[in-house]
Amino acid sequence: MKLNKYAWIAMLALSIVSCSSNDDEAISGEGNLIVEFDNAYAGSDLLLNASTYNAVDTEKIKISAVKYIVSNIKLEDENGHVYTVPKNESYFIVDESSESSQMIDLSGVPAGNYTKITYGIGVDQEKYLEGAEGQGDFLTQAQEAGMMWSWQAGYKFLVYEGVYTSENTTAETAFAFHMGSHGSSVDNYKEVSLTFPTIARVRTDLSPIVHVVVDLDHILNGTTQFMLDDASQIHVDAVKSPQIATNASGMFTVHHIHN
């Protein structure tokens, strides 16, 4: 019986070592991680030009365009190690009218168990100050997507457009929120950090999807409330645009992870 007992212990120890070895092998190398941006409104799926949503007070809106810039993505694993996506590969435009733009595929991510993501909304001053030549292909992408006023005026970090009605405005009236930085005087670039509800397991043969829900209700109804009757066209405003930037930075939540 003792021999059988010791043999069982030896087999268990060998099994543990083998599992540990397999785990070490499983988390070596590189893989992909996909970040999915799922635009919504107050818990409902976002439908452009179709659904009417409650805004602030009696105002109701119908949304026609939603675009925003996501940049400078960093991933943190369970041990606190941070992987930073190379800067020149880390600028993306999420456009509700383009389904493919809502899935950001990050390649070359070190295999690991990731628990947190950090990214910027907009283009940081460091990148902008590299000049037009330093923007690479992203400058052309932004121009084609309507995400720039001009090179001198800078990038639009957020485009949010549609029509609204209210108790006082019964006819559908256009609104447009275009938010960006204002030179070096007003920097509206915001960083967002989100903790995952479960681990995202990046492996050479496993590409997790981080499902981020983006609640656009926060743009008008966040830290600062905006009544469209008071401000139906907000493009460049050194007072309101920082408030819009703060509202927009609060609209992101990691809903779940697909491993």
Side-chain angles (χ1 to χ4, degrees), residues 86-147:
K87 192 171 183 64
N88 289 337
E89 301 171 15
S90 197
Y91 291 85
F92 308 91
I93 297 170
V94 178
D95 182 350
E96 176 62 20
S97 67
S98 169
E99 189 172 350
S100 62
S101 76
Q102 298 158 35
M103 304 286 284
I104 294 177
D105 191 347
L106 305 175
S107 61
V109 177
N113 297 324
Y114 290 94
T115 60
K116 185 177 180 180
I117 186 170
T118 300
Y119 52 85
I121 303 301
V123 176
D124 54 291
Q125 285 288 310
E126 179 186 347
K127 185 65 173 175
Y128 182 68
L129 292 175
E130 289 180 2
E133 293 297 323
Q135 309 305 302
D137 294 339
F138 185 71
L139 178 59
T140 301
Q141 294 173 24
Q143 290 170 332
E144 291 177 349
M147 296 300 284

Side-chain angles (χ1 to χ4, degrees), residues 11-256:
M11 290 175 63
L12 178 61
L14 182 62
S15 173
I16 291 172
V17 170
S18 175
C19 288
S20 176
S21 176
N22 288 340
D23 286 346
D24 290 342
E25 183 179 0
I27 59 173
S28 64
E30 297 178 344
N32 288 33
L33 181 142
I34 298 167
V35 187
E36 178 184 4
F37 289 91
D38 183 5
N39 295 318
Y41 195 98
S44 299
D45 190 29
L46 181 67
L47 298 173
L48 294 181
N49 300 307
S51 292
T52 300
Y53 304 99
N54 294 324
V56 179
D57 200 12
T58 64
E59 295 181 344
K60 298 183 181 296
I61 61 173
K62 190 180 292 182
I63 301 166
S64 60
V66 175
K67 303 176 190 179
Y68 44 88
I69 295 174
V70 173
S71 60
N72 297 314
I73 297 175
K74 294 181 286 188
L75 301 167
E76 183 175 327
D77 70 14
E78 60 187 351
N79 298 314
H81 300 138
V82 176
Y83 168 67
T84 301
V85 176
K87 192 171 183 64
N88 289 337
E89 301 171 15
S90 197
Y91 291 85
F92 308 91
I93 297 170
V94 178
D95 182 350
E96 176 62 20
S97 67
S98 169
E99 189 172 350
S100 62
S101 76
Q102 298 158 35
M103 304 286 284
I104 294 177
D105 191 347
L106 305 175
S107 61
V109 177
N113 297 324
Y114 290 94
T115 60
K116 185 177 180 180
I117 186 170
T118 300
Y119 52 85
I121 303 301
V123 176
D124 54 291
Q125 285 288 310
E126 179 186 347
K127 185 65 173 175
Y128 182 68
L129 292 175
E130 289 180 2
E133 293 297 323
Q135 309 305 302
D137 294 339
F138 185 71
L139 178 59
T140 301
Q141 294 173 24
Q143 290 170 332
E144 291 177 349
M147 296 300 284
M148 292 198 76
W149 287 290
S150 66
W151 173 246
Q152 289 74 21
Y155 290 96
K156 299 175 186 178
F157 298 173
L158 168 73
V159 168
Y160 187 57
E161 300 176 351
V163 295
Y164 81 98
T165 60
S166 71
E167 189 176 47
N168 301 319
T169 307
T170 55
E172 288 190 339
T173 302
F175 72 87
F177 281 42
H178 294 176
M179 184 273 293
S181 289
H182 305 280
S184 58
S185 60
V186 180
D187 184 1
N188 286 325
Y189 176 81
K190 296 291 185 181
E191 196 170 68
V192 176
S193 291
L194 304 172
T195 300
F196 298 163
T198 57
I199 287 173
R201 300 172 62 244
V202 175
R203 302 291 188 270
T204 56
D205 59 350
L206 189 62
S207 300
I209 301 174
V210 178
H211 189 113
V212 179
V213 173
V214 187
D215 189 349
L216 298 162
D217 176 49
H218 284 262
I219 295 176
L220 296 179
N221 202 17
T223 304
T224 302
Q225 284 190 329
F226 287 95
M227 295 288 293
L228 293 169
D229 270 338
D230 297 332
S232 61
Q233 295 289 329
I234 300 177
H235 289 271
V236 179
D237 186 309
V239 175
K240 294 184 176 68
S241 63
Q243 297 170 336
I244 298 166
T246 298
N247 282 4
S249 68
M251 64 187 183
F252 302 92
T253 306
V254 177
H255 187 268
H256 61 272

